[in-house]
Amino acid sequence: MGGRTKSSRSDSSGKVYDAVRLIPPGKVATYGQIACMIGKPGRARMVGRIMSRTPAALRLPCHRVVNSQGRLAPGWDGQRSLLVAEGVLFRNNGLVDMRRCGWDLLL
DNA sequence: TTTATGACCTGAG
DNA sequence: ACTCAGGCCATAA
């Protein structure tokens, strides 16, 4: 292919979607974690942007993606209910209990 | 081009 | 608990 590769168009979106699909029910993953999984450490912000633009039709468990503090997505009413329904534990401050529900491959 | 904004992260005070 | 600063990157104006 000669010529400039147009690329740069959220090429990562497909991989992000795949990674999100792997998060087991009852657990949550952070944006930074997803970024690492797709081989782009430090790109947490990009993951967040992709999530915000993810079509609902894909039916991804995007409610299982939270920030490293365990805070839920702003302006999304219902994320909390979905997580609670799966057994995710919340602390009194309204944040997810990352120590128990953070998806760590170690354990 | 520069500036500002955003479902971010980590560290420091 | 909070704010700030520095780092990261895509988009919009």
Side-chain angles (χ1 to χ4, degrees), chain A residues 21-61:
Chain A
R21 275 184 247 268
L22 298 176
I23 308 171
K27 292 284 179 181
V28 297
T30 71
Y31 299 96
Q33 238 176 328
I34 299 296
C36 273
M37 290 169 145
I38 66 172
K40 302 203 168 197
R43 302 330 192 245
R45 217 156 195 167
M46 186 181 69
V47 173
R49 191 185 64 76
I50 291 172
M51 289 280 95
S52 72
R53 287 177 159 271
T54 299
L58 293 181
R59 302 230 164 188
L60 295 182

Side-chain angles (χ1 to χ4, degrees), chain A residues 2-22:
Chain A
R4 81 196 132 173
T5 52
K6 197 151 159 287
S7 84
S8 74
R9 212 138 98 125
S10 306
D11 317 35
S12 319
S13 54
K15 292 195 175 169
V16 168
Y17 298 153
D18 288 340
V20 171
R21 275 184 247 268
L22 298 176

